[in-house]
Amino acid sequence: MSNIEQTLSIIKPDAIERNLENQIKEIFKNKGFKIIKEKKIQIEKSEAEKFYKVHETKPFYNDLCEYLSSGPILAMVLEKENAVLKNRELMGATNPEDASEGTIRKKYGISIDKNSVHGSDSVENAKIEIEFFFKD
Ligand code: CMP
Protein backbone atom coordinates (compact mmCIF):
# COMPACT_ATOMS: atom_id res chain seq x y z
CA MET A 1 0.00 0.00 0.00
CA SER A 2 1.31 3.44 -0.77
CA ASN A 3 2.05 5.85 2.06
CA ILE A 4 2.57 9.26 0.53
CA GLU A 5 3.57 11.76 3.21
CA GLN A 6 4.57 15.39 3.38
CA THR A 7 7.40 16.71 5.52
CA LEU A 8 8.85 20.12 6.23
CA SER A 9 12.40 20.79 5.12
CA ILE A 10 14.39 23.93 5.86
CA ILE A 11 17.60 24.88 4.12
CA LYS A 12 19.30 26.75 6.97
CA PRO A 13 21.23 30.06 6.88
CA ASP A 14 24.67 28.44 6.58
CA ALA A 15 23.68 26.66 3.36
CA ILE A 16 21.82 29.63 1.84
CA GLU A 17 24.83 31.82 2.64
CA ARG A 18 27.11 29.44 0.70
CA ASN A 19 24.70 29.35 -2.27
CA LEU A 20 23.94 25.67 -1.79
CA GLU A 21 20.20 26.08 -2.22
CA ASN A 22 19.95 24.72 -5.77
CA GLN A 23 22.37 21.86 -5.13
CA ILE A 24 20.39 20.73 -2.09
CA LYS A 25 17.08 21.02 -3.97
CA GLU A 26 18.54 18.86 -6.76
CA ILE A 27 19.50 16.19 -4.21
CA PHE A 28 15.89 16.08 -2.97
CA LYS A 29 14.48 15.96 -6.50
CA ASN A 30 16.94 13.26 -7.60
CA LYS A 31 15.81 11.14 -4.64
CA GLY A 32 12.19 11.42 -5.79
CA PHE A 33 10.93 14.15 -3.47
CA LYS A 34 8.44 16.57 -4.99
CA ILE A 35 8.82 20.15 -3.80
CA ILE A 36 5.16 21.02 -3.30
CA LYS A 37 5.67 24.47 -1.78
CA GLU A 38 8.67 26.66 -1.07
CA LYS A 39 9.23 30.00 0.57
CA LYS A 40 12.46 31.95 1.10
CA ILE A 41 12.20 34.11 4.20
CA GLN A 42 14.07 35.46 7.16
CA ILE A 43 12.24 34.92 10.44
CA GLU A 44 12.36 36.87 13.71
CA LYS A 45 14.02 35.29 16.73
CA SER A 46 10.60 35.15 18.43
CA GLU A 47 9.27 33.06 15.53
CA ALA A 48 12.28 30.72 15.73
CA GLU A 49 11.52 30.32 19.44
CA LYS A 50 8.00 29.20 18.55
CA PHE A 51 9.23 26.87 15.83
CA TYR A 52 11.77 25.17 18.12
CA LYS A 53 9.56 25.26 21.24
CA VAL A 54 10.10 21.51 21.82
CA HIS A 55 13.74 22.36 22.56
CA GLU A 56 13.02 25.24 24.95
CA THR A 57 14.55 23.51 27.98
CA LYS A 58 17.74 22.53 26.14
CA PRO A 59 20.98 24.39 26.78
CA PHE A 60 21.39 25.08 23.06
CA TYR A 61 17.90 26.61 22.62
CA ASN A 62 18.93 30.27 22.65
CA ASP A 63 21.83 29.83 20.21
CA LEU A 64 19.65 27.69 17.98
CA CYS A 65 16.95 30.37 17.74
CA GLU A 66 19.53 33.14 17.22
CA TYR A 67 21.02 31.08 14.44
CA LEU A 68 17.82 30.16 12.58
CA SER A 69 16.82 33.82 12.54
CA SER A 70 20.30 35.09 11.55
CA GLY A 71 19.77 35.01 7.78
CA PRO A 72 17.48 33.86 4.98
CA ILE A 73 16.19 30.29 4.99
CA LEU A 74 14.27 28.23 2.44
CA ALA A 75 11.25 26.39 3.86
CA MET A 76 9.87 23.61 1.66
CA VAL A 77 7.09 21.06 1.78
CA LEU A 78 8.50 17.81 0.42
CA GLU A 79 6.28 14.92 -0.69
CA LYS A 80 7.19 11.30 -1.27
CA GLU A 81 6.42 7.78 -0.08
CA ASN A 82 7.41 7.72 3.64
CA ALA A 83 8.74 11.27 3.23
CA VAL A 84 9.41 11.92 6.94
CA LEU A 85 11.77 8.98 7.42
CA LYS A 86 13.25 9.18 3.91
CA ASN A 87 14.12 12.84 4.45
CA ARG A 88 15.76 12.08 7.80
CA GLU A 89 17.84 9.34 6.17
CA LEU A 90 18.89 11.66 3.37
CA MET A 91 19.82 14.49 5.79
CA GLY A 92 21.96 12.21 7.98
CA ALA A 93 22.80 12.52 11.69
CA THR A 94 22.18 15.86 13.43
CA ASN A 95 25.92 16.29 14.00
CA PRO A 96 27.64 16.32 10.58
CA GLU A 97 30.63 14.56 12.21
CA ASP A 98 28.42 11.52 12.77
CA ALA A 99 26.60 11.65 9.43
CA SER A 100 27.06 8.84 6.89
CA GLU A 101 28.57 9.23 3.44
CA GLY A 102 26.05 10.36 0.87
CA THR A 103 23.95 12.39 3.29
CA ILE A 104 23.35 16.12 2.99
CA ARG A 105 24.82 16.93 6.40
CA LYS A 106 27.95 14.89 5.69
CA LYS A 107 28.42 16.73 2.43
CA TYR A 108 27.57 20.27 3.50
CA GLY A 109 27.19 20.49 7.30
CA ILE A 110 29.75 22.55 9.19
CA SER A 111 28.79 21.89 12.82
CA ILE A 112 25.89 20.65 14.93
CA ASP A 113 24.32 24.12 14.70
CA LYS A 114 25.28 24.87 11.12
CA ASN A 115 24.06 21.51 9.86
CA SER A 116 22.55 22.94 6.66
CA VAL A 117 19.09 21.36 6.80
CA HIS A 118 16.19 20.71 9.14
CA GLY A 119 13.57 18.01 8.63
CA SER A 120 10.44 17.10 10.61
CA ASP A 121 10.98 14.16 12.95
CA SER A 122 7.46 12.65 12.79
CA VAL A 123 4.31 12.82 10.68
CA GLU A 124 2.57 14.65 13.52
CA ASN A 125 5.30 17.29 13.78
CA ALA A 126 5.45 17.59 9.99
CA LYS A 127 1.81 18.76 10.01
CA ILE A 128 2.53 21.31 12.73
CA GLU A 129 5.71 22.55 11.05
CA ILE A 130 4.09 22.82 7.59
CA GLU A 131 1.24 24.81 9.12
CA PHE A 132 3.82 27.06 10.81
CA PHE A 133 5.39 28.16 7.52
CA PHE A 134 2.48 27.72 5.11
CA LYS A 135 -0.67 28.83 6.93
CA ASP A 136 -2.27 30.55 3.97
P1 CMP B 1 17.40 20.43 13.75
O1 CMP B 1 17.09 19.15 13.05
O2 CMP B 1 17.07 21.69 13.06
O3 CMP B 1 16.65 20.44 15.18
C1 CMP B 1 17.16 21.11 16.30
C2 CMP B 1 18.54 21.63 16.09
O4 CMP B 1 19.26 21.93 17.26
C3 CMP B 1 19.39 20.59 15.41
O5 CMP B 1 18.96 20.44 14.08
C4 CMP B 1 20.79 21.15 15.61
O6 CMP B 1 21.18 22.02 14.56
C5 CMP B 1 20.65 21.99 16.89
N1 CMP B 1 21.46 21.51 17.99
C6 CMP B 1 22.44 22.21 18.60
N2 CMP B 1 23.00 21.49 19.59
C7 CMP B 1 22.37 20.30 19.62
C8 CMP B 1 22.49 19.14 20.42
N3 CMP B 1 23.41 19.05 21.40
N4 CMP B 1 21.67 18.09 20.18
C9 CMP B 1 20.73 18.18 19.19
N5 CMP B 1 20.56 19.27 18.40
C10 CMP B 1 21.37 20.32 18.60
Side-chain angles (χ1 to χ4, degrees):
M1 230 178 65
S2 82
N3 181 41
I4 301 291
E5 292 171 355
Q6 292 188 343
T7 190
L8 183 88
S9 170
I10 299 175
I11 302 183
K12 294 188 180 183
D14 67 275
I16 297 289
E17 193 177 272
R18 287 176 288 151
N19 290 316
L20 295 171
E21 181 181 332
N22 287 334
Q23 286 164 71
I24 294 175
K25 281 166 73 178
E26 279 309 304
I27 294 175
F28 285 128
K29 287 191 246 176
N30 289 337
K31 292 285 180 185
F33 288 90
K34 282 189 196 151
I35 301 173
I36 302 289
K37 290 180 186 169
E38 60 182 291
K39 191 190 263 182
K40 195 170 190 179
I41 44 167
Q42 181 161 358
I43 60 172
E44 299 289 336
K45 188 178 176 198
S46 59
E47 295 175 286
E49 286 167 351
K50 267 185 233 158
F51 181 75
Y52 277 133
K53 195 161 176 36
V54 288
H55 295 299
E56 75 181 328
T57 59
K58 311 269 175 60
F60 56 83
Y61 179 63
N62 186 57
D63 287 349
L64 176 62
C65 297
E66 286 274 356
Y67 170 61
L68 195 72
S69 57
S70 68
I73 57 174
L74 186 77
M76 297 177 286
V77 176
L78 303 181
E79 188 176 273
K80 179 183 155 79
E81 181 95 15
N82 300 318
V84 172
L85 181 64
K86 292 291 174 194
N87 181 37
R88 291 184 71 75
E89 288 173 358
L90 183 55
M91 289 192 300
T94 306
N95 189 343
E97 277 181 23
D98 303 328
S100 307
E101 284 302 329
T103 63
I104 295 172
R105 286 167 169 165
K106 172 76 179 182
K107 199 165 180 195
Y108 298 124
I110 296 170
S111 65
I112 195 162
D113 298 300
K114 297 184 172 180
N115 61 359
S116 303
V117 281
H118 166 83
S120 310
D121 65 1
S122 66
V123 172
E124 193 189 354
N125 282 338
K127 291 199 176 101
I128 296 168
E129 292 183 358
I130 289 169
E131 174 76 12
F132 183 90
F133 281 103
F134 300 96
K135 284 184 206 65
D136 28 6

mmCIF file of all heavy atoms in Angstrom, residues 12 51-52 55 60 64 88 91 94 105 111-115 117-119, ligand 1:
data_model
loop_
_atom_site.group_PDB
_atom_site.id
_atom_site.type_symbol
_atom_site.label_atom_id
_atom_site.label_comp_id
_atom_site.label_asym_id
_atom_site.label_seq_id
_atom_site.Cartn_x
_atom_site.Cartn_y
_atom_site.Cartn_z
ATOM 1 N N LYS A 12 18.966 25.802 5.900
ATOM 2 C CA LYS A 12 19.305 26.752 6.972
ATOM 3 C C LYS A 12 20.260 27.858 6.487
ATOM 4 O O LYS A 12 20.868 27.741 5.413
ATOM 5 C CB LYS A 12 19.940 25.977 8.125
ATOM 6 C CG LYS A 12 18.979 24.999 8.815
ATOM 7 C CD LYS A 12 19.628 24.420 10.064
ATOM 8 C CE LYS A 12 18.715 23.445 10.774
ATOM 9 N NZ LYS A 12 19.328 22.935 12.027
ATOM 10 N N PHE A 51 8.979 28.037 16.679
ATOM 11 C CA PHE A 51 9.227 26.869 15.829
ATOM 12 C C PHE A 51 9.957 25.763 16.595
ATOM 13 O O PHE A 51 9.649 24.578 16.470
ATOM 14 C CB PHE A 51 10.038 27.283 14.593
ATOM 15 C CG PHE A 51 10.312 26.134 13.675
ATOM 16 C CD1 PHE A 51 9.301 25.633 12.862
ATOM 17 C CD2 PHE A 51 11.557 25.525 13.642
ATOM 18 C CE1 PHE A 51 9.530 24.541 12.031
ATOM 19 C CE2 PHE A 51 11.798 24.440 12.820
ATOM 20 C CZ PHE A 51 10.786 23.956 12.002
ATOM 21 N N TYR A 52 10.948 26.154 17.401
ATOM 22 C CA TYR A 52 11.774 25.173 18.122
ATOM 23 C C TYR A 52 11.335 25.004 19.577
ATOM 24 O O TYR A 52 12.135 24.591 20.411
ATOM 25 C CB TYR A 52 13.240 25.600 18.078
ATOM 26 C CG TYR A 52 13.999 25.206 16.822
ATOM 27 C CD1 TYR A 52 14.793 26.133 16.145
ATOM 28 C CD2 TYR A 52 13.982 23.899 16.332
ATOM 29 C CE1 TYR A 52 15.528 25.770 15.011
ATOM 30 C CE2 TYR A 52 14.708 23.534 15.198
ATOM 31 C CZ TYR A 52 15.480 24.474 14.555
ATOM 32 O OH TYR A 52 16.206 24.110 13.454
ATOM 33 N N HIS A 55 12.366 22.358 22.026
ATOM 34 C CA HIS A 55 13.735 22.361 22.562
ATOM 35 C C HIS A 55 13.943 23.434 23.632
ATOM 36 O O HIS A 55 15.077 23.712 24.021
ATOM 37 C CB HIS A 55 14.748 22.598 21.430
ATOM 38 C CG HIS A 55 14.773 21.500 20.419
ATOM 39 N ND1 HIS A 55 15.094 20.205 20.736
ATOM 40 C CD2 HIS A 55 14.517 21.507 19.080
ATOM 41 C CE1 HIS A 55 15.031 19.457 19.643
ATOM 42 N NE2 HIS A 55 14.680 20.212 18.628
ATOM 43 N N PHE A 60 21.042 24.466 24.352
ATOM 44 C CA PHE A 60 21.394 25.079 23.064
ATOM 45 C C PHE A 60 20.244 25.893 22.455
ATOM 46 O O PHE A 60 20.373 26.438 21.360
ATOM 47 C CB PHE A 60 21.864 24.004 22.070
ATOM 48 C CG PHE A 60 20.882 22.869 21.831
ATOM 49 C CD1 PHE A 60 19.839 22.978 20.926
ATOM 50 C CD2 PHE A 60 21.023 21.674 22.528
ATOM 51 C CE1 PHE A 60 18.950 21.938 20.703
ATOM 52 C CE2 PHE A 60 20.133 20.616 22.321
ATOM 53 C CZ PHE A 60 19.091 20.758 21.409
ATOM 54 N N LEU A 64 20.356 28.281 19.110
ATOM 55 C CA LEU A 64 19.647 27.687 17.977
ATOM 56 C C LEU A 64 18.668 28.698 17.365
ATOM 57 O O LEU A 64 18.609 28.845 16.130
ATOM 58 C CB LEU A 64 18.888 26.449 18.494
ATOM 59 C CG LEU A 64 17.989 25.692 17.538
ATOM 60 C CD1 LEU A 64 18.801 25.116 16.389
ATOM 61 C CD2 LEU A 64 17.278 24.561 18.281
ATOM 62 N N ARG A 88 14.796 12.171 6.682
ATOM 63 C CA ARG A 88 15.757 12.083 7.796
ATOM 64 C C ARG A 88 16.971 11.236 7.400
ATOM 65 O O ARG A 88 18.104 11.558 7.766
ATOM 66 C CB ARG A 88 15.065 11.537 9.043
ATOM 67 C CG ARG A 88 14.075 12.553 9.596
ATOM 68 C CD ARG A 88 13.436 12.113 10.883
ATOM 69 N NE ARG A 88 14.359 12.123 12.006
ATOM 70 C CZ ARG A 88 14.770 13.223 12.611
ATOM 71 N NH1 ARG A 88 14.371 14.405 12.199
ATOM 72 N NH2 ARG A 88 15.590 13.163 13.642
ATOM 73 N N MET A 91 19.102 13.408 5.088
ATOM 74 C CA MET A 91 19.818 14.488 5.791
ATOM 75 C C MET A 91 21.028 13.945 6.539
ATOM 76 O O MET A 91 22.063 14.586 6.613
ATOM 77 C CB MET A 91 18.895 15.166 6.829
ATOM 78 C CG MET A 91 17.803 16.011 6.239
ATOM 79 S SD MET A 91 17.027 17.019 7.523
ATOM 80 C CE MET A 91 16.406 15.756 8.625
ATOM 81 N N THR A 94 22.247 14.441 13.061
ATOM 82 C CA THR A 94 22.184 15.865 13.429
ATOM 83 C C THR A 94 23.567 16.508 13.422
ATOM 84 O O THR A 94 23.760 17.613 12.924
ATOM 85 C CB THR A 94 21.563 16.014 14.841
ATOM 86 O OG1 THR A 94 20.308 15.333 14.848
ATOM 87 C CG2 THR A 94 21.350 17.461 15.209
ATOM 88 N N ARG A 105 24.023 16.326 5.320
ATOM 89 C CA ARG A 105 24.817 16.929 6.401
ATOM 90 C C ARG A 105 26.278 16.519 6.338
ATOM 91 O O ARG A 105 27.162 17.297 6.708
ATOM 92 C CB ARG A 105 24.184 16.595 7.751
ATOM 93 C CG ARG A 105 22.914 17.408 7.999
ATOM 94 C CD ARG A 105 22.136 16.868 9.148
ATOM 95 N NE ARG A 105 21.052 17.746 9.578
ATOM 96 C CZ ARG A 105 20.071 17.362 10.367
ATOM 97 N NH1 ARG A 105 20.024 16.114 10.810
ATOM 98 N NH2 ARG A 105 19.131 18.200 10.719
ATOM 99 N N SER A 111 28.781 22.165 11.383
ATOM 100 C CA SER A 111 28.794 21.888 12.824
ATOM 101 C C SER A 111 27.392 21.452 13.229
ATOM 102 O O SER A 111 26.470 21.486 12.403
ATOM 103 C CB SER A 111 29.173 23.152 13.596
ATOM 104 O OG SER A 111 28.144 24.123 13.409
ATOM 105 N N ILE A 112 27.225 21.091 14.498
ATOM 106 C CA ILE A 112 25.890 20.646 14.934
ATOM 107 C C ILE A 112 24.853 21.765 14.791
ATOM 108 O O ILE A 112 23.683 21.495 14.536
ATOM 109 C CB ILE A 112 25.936 20.042 16.359
ATOM 110 C CG1 ILE A 112 24.654 19.246 16.648
ATOM 111 C CG2 ILE A 112 26.206 21.114 17.407
ATOM 112 C CD1 ILE A 112 24.773 18.276 17.795
ATOM 113 N N ASP A 113 25.253 23.002 14.913
ATOM 114 C CA ASP A 113 24.321 24.122 14.701
ATOM 115 C C ASP A 113 24.163 24.410 13.205
ATOM 116 O O ASP A 113 23.061 24.498 12.695
ATOM 117 C CB ASP A 113 24.828 25.396 15.396
ATOM 118 C CG ASP A 113 24.919 25.207 16.890
ATOM 119 O OD1 ASP A 113 23.870 24.920 17.491
ATOM 120 O OD2 ASP A 113 26.025 25.309 17.445
ATOM 121 N N LYS A 114 25.309 24.558 12.554
ATOM 122 C CA LYS A 114 25.280 24.868 11.115
ATOM 123 C C LYS A 114 25.259 23.558 10.336
ATOM 124 O O LYS A 114 26.218 23.208 9.635
ATOM 125 C CB LYS A 114 26.491 25.728 10.747
ATOM 126 C CG LYS A 114 26.455 27.062 11.475
ATOM 127 C CD LYS A 114 27.593 27.960 11.064
ATOM 128 C CE LYS A 114 27.382 29.340 11.679
ATOM 129 N NZ LYS A 114 28.419 30.280 11.340
ATOM 130 N N ASN A 115 24.143 22.835 10.493
ATOM 131 C CA ASN A 115 24.064 21.514 9.858
ATOM 132 C C ASN A 115 23.212 21.537 8.592
ATOM 133 O O ASN A 115 22.698 20.510 8.152
ATOM 134 C CB ASN A 115 23.604 20.444 10.865
ATOM 135 C CG ASN A 115 22.230 20.719 11.444
ATOM 136 O OD1 ASN A 115 21.604 21.724 11.124
ATOM 137 N ND2 ASN A 115 21.756 19.828 12.285
ATOM 138 N N VAL A 117 20.503 21.676 7.053
ATOM 139 C CA VAL A 117 19.090 21.365 6.799
ATOM 140 C C VAL A 117 18.376 20.952 8.080
ATOM 141 O O VAL A 117 18.990 20.404 8.995
ATOM 142 C CB VAL A 117 18.917 20.226 5.750
ATOM 143 C CG1 VAL A 117 19.094 20.727 4.334
ATOM 144 C CG2 VAL A 117 19.843 19.046 6.030
ATOM 145 N N HIS A 118 17.079 21.212 8.088
ATOM 146 C CA HIS A 118 16.189 20.708 9.139
ATOM 147 C C HIS A 118 15.136 19.845 8.461
ATOM 148 O O HIS A 118 14.723 20.129 7.342
ATOM 149 C CB HIS A 118 15.482 21.872 9.866
ATOM 150 C CG HIS A 118 14.331 21.412 10.712
ATOM 151 N ND1 HIS A 118 14.504 20.923 11.984
ATOM 152 C CD2 HIS A 118 13.000 21.306 10.441
ATOM 153 C CE1 HIS A 118 13.321 20.558 12.466
ATOM 154 N NE2 HIS A 118 12.399 20.787 11.551
ATOM 155 N N GLY A 119 14.692 18.808 9.140
ATOM 156 C CA GLY A 119 13.567 18.011 8.634
ATOM 157 C C GLY A 119 12.685 17.571 9.780
ATOM 158 O O GLY A 119 13.186 17.269 10.876
HETATM 159 P P1 CMP B 1 17.403 20.434 13.754
HETATM 160 O O1 CMP B 1 17.085 19.152 13.052
HETATM 161 O O2 CMP B 1 17.072 21.688 13.058
HETATM 162 O O3 CMP B 1 16.649 20.442 15.185
HETATM 163 C C1 CMP B 1 17.158 21.111 16.301
HETATM 164 C C2 CMP B 1 18.543 21.630 16.089
HETATM 165 O O4 CMP B 1 19.259 21.934 17.257
HETATM 166 C C3 CMP B 1 19.389 20.587 15.409
HETATM 167 O O5 CMP B 1 18.962 20.440 14.079
HETATM 168 C C4 CMP B 1 20.790 21.152 15.611
HETATM 169 O O6 CMP B 1 21.182 22.016 14.564
HETATM 170 C C5 CMP B 1 20.647 21.991 16.893
HETATM 171 N N1 CMP B 1 21.461 21.506 17.988
HETATM 172 C C6 CMP B 1 22.442 22.205 18.597
HETATM 173 N N2 CMP B 1 22.996 21.487 19.586
HETATM 174 C C7 CMP B 1 22.365 20.304 19.623
HETATM 175 C C8 CMP B 1 22.493 19.143 20.424
HETATM 176 N N3 CMP B 1 23.412 19.051 21.403
HETATM 177 N N4 CMP B 1 21.669 18.090 20.178
HETATM 178 C C9 CMP B 1 20.728 18.178 19.193
HETATM 179 N N5 CMP B 1 20.561 19.267 18.395
HETATM 180 C C10 CMP B 1 21.368 20.322 18.603
#
